[in-house]
Amino acid sequence: MSTKLTVLSNGSLRVEGTDIEIVDAQGNPYGLGGRERISICRCGLSANKPFCDGSHKGHFEHNAVAFDLPTPGAPAKPAV
């Protein structure tokens, strides 16, 4: 299984795969205990950062809807 990252509405970033590696700013790996699914906090409220502990419930709103990023180097579209 390739690694898949899912942006959850009103919640975390879910990472799924058989060979997940998460490292800190110094390149040191977090011990994931063989998990093939983890959730990364994106609200900043978790006491277990960078992992989600559910603290976002009722405090974080984002409707996750996919869109295309512009091609690198392409001129920006004017704001309407």
Side-chain angles (χ1 to χ4, degrees):
M1 169 189 215
S2 61
T3 302
K4 176 178 159 184
L5 188 139
T6 304
V7 181
L8 299 174
S9 291
N10 304 324
S12 62
L13 299 173
R14 179 180 295 145
V15 183
E16 299 172 274
T18 55
D19 194 23
I20 300 170
E21 182 181 30
I22 307 287
V23 298
D24 66 13
Q26 292 74 40
N28 301 308
Y30 287 91
L32 302 179
R35 288 174 177 79
E36 294 184 358
R37 184 169 117 172
I38 59 168
S39 293
I40 302 294
C41 174
R42 63 184 183 124
C43 72
L45 298 173
S46 176
N48 198 28
K49 287 189 256 330
F51 305 103
C52 177
D53 67 2
S55 294
H56 63 270
K57 290 184 184 357
H59 300 286
F60 181 74
E61 293 185 22
H62 173 258
N63 188 23
V65 177
F67 59 91
D68 294 332
L69 291 174
T71 303
K77 292 183 181 178
V80 178

